[in-house]
Amino acid sequence: MALEKMLSSRSNAGSFFFSCPNAMTTLLALDTATEACSVALMHDGRVLSHYEVAPRMHAQRLLPMIQQLLGEAGIAASALDAIAFGRGPGAFTGVRIAIGVVQGLAFALDRPVLPVSNLAVLAQRALREQGATQVAAAIDARMDEVYWGCYRAEAGEMRLLGQEAVLPPEQAEAPRGSDGEWFGAGTGWGTFAARIALTPVSMDGSMLPHAEDLLTLARFAWARGEALPADQAQPVYLRDQVATPKAPPA
């Protein structure tokens, strides 16, 4: 469905809400960086989310899912205060789909954007579902590498320890000086668990980012005043040769 129709149309589908604080803000979150396609909406202190594992269907599913959420909440897109998105790392095409939709909406509505790391979203999901307070997030980056980031819970928010990176599994370690038990989250564990240098106490190698957790992280970022203009909705790939073509040798 065209963006213009989505901005003005509504759906009569049923809804499932749960309460959350910060009722005065209306935020939309969306993610297509991995096999999962998901959207979440916070409005009037409640959250509604849709999640599908739909490889290669993100471009077809994302706008209808957003339209459905707006319809279920009974609001127009103009009610949004900001739009959050998974900015990567992840699949090149999937990240670009999210960027395109976010920029289209944000420019049309004159709203700011909130970029959120997909590795952080994985860690936040592990906190929500598993109660894990230290998470080693790993996404299968292909080419015998993983996208890697380690996070620790602080006041309900998973915060990065060290840096995010793309590297061979054998180099995926806990940040220097950190201690305690780790939970492994993400497809990098599903593919490379035996080769990753860090040994977790438990793991979920099939876990994918969920927009519900992206929304949680976006709320923290919004409260800190980290929203950006729409033209700054940019992807993060970590792998330089994918993000930026290298100059030919002199």
Side-chain angles (χ1 to χ4, degrees):
M1 180 175 292
L3 179 61
E4 292 79 5
K5 292 186 67 177
M6 190 206 69
L7 291 173
S8 61
S9 61
R10 297 187 178 185
S11 166
N12 295 318
S15 61
F16 175 75
F17 291 105
F18 61 89
S19 296
C20 72
N22 199 15
M24 300 305 293
T25 304
T26 298
L27 296 177
L28 175 69
L30 58 94
D31 182 59
T32 57
T34 65
E35 296 89 336
C37 181
S38 61
V39 296
L41 177 71
M42 182 178 74
H43 173 67
D44 219 12
R46 300 179 295 178
V47 169
L48 172 64
S49 67
H50 285 206
Y51 174 93
E52 296 179 10
V53 177
R56 297 178 295 280
M57 292 295 293
H58 298 5
Q60 291 80 15
R61 294 295 303 134
L62 184 57
L63 285 176
M65 289 172 73
I66 296 171
Q67 180 190 3
Q68 185 176 0
L69 280 193
L70 294 172
E72 291 175 6
I75 63 171
S78 58
L80 298 174
D81 291 303
I83 305 166
F85 64 99
R87 49 83 164 159
F92 178 89
T93 300
V95 174
R96 292 307 307 179
I97 289 170
I99 297 291
V101 170
V102 166
Q103 287 191 335
L105 285 170
F107 279 122
L109 299 169
D110 192 23
R111 295 294 187 272
V113 300
L114 293 158
V116 178
S117 162
N118 282 94
L119 290 167
V121 176
L122 269 177
Q124 194 73 31
R125 182 172 184 178
L127 173 64
R128 174 173 61 89
E129 294 185 349
Q130 304 292 333
T133 57
Q134 284 201 148
V135 178
I139 297 174
D140 187 346
R142 312 304 178 191
M143 299 173 65
D144 210 38
E145 293 181 318
V146 294
Y147 296 123
W148 179 256
C150 294
Y151 297 82
R152 178 180 294 151
E154 296 183 24
E157 178 186 16
M158 296 305 284
R159 296 185 181 179
L160 180 65
L161 302 176
Q163 296 182 327
E164 294 181 348
V166 57
L167 37 67
E170 292 80 3
Q171 297 178 20
E173 300 176 324
R176 183 174 301 176
S178 64
D179 55 16
E181 297 179 338
W182 293 88
F183 181 88
T187 56
W189 289 100
T191 306
F192 299 111
R195 295 171 54 192
I196 291 177
L198 185 152
T199 303
V201 295
S202 186
M203 72 178 76
D204 184 342
S206 63
M207 184 179 287
L208 298 170
H210 195 306
E212 185 176 311
D213 307 293
L214 196 161
L215 184 61
T216 298
L217 292 169
R219 289 168 53 208
F220 284 107
W222 175 259
R224 289 192 294 263
E226 295 175 0
L228 302 173
D231 61 358
Q232 294 186 35
Q234 298 297 324
V236 170
Y237 299 112
L238 296 182
R239 183 178 286 135
D240 289 341
Q241 63 266 35
V242 174
T244 307
K246 293 186 180 297

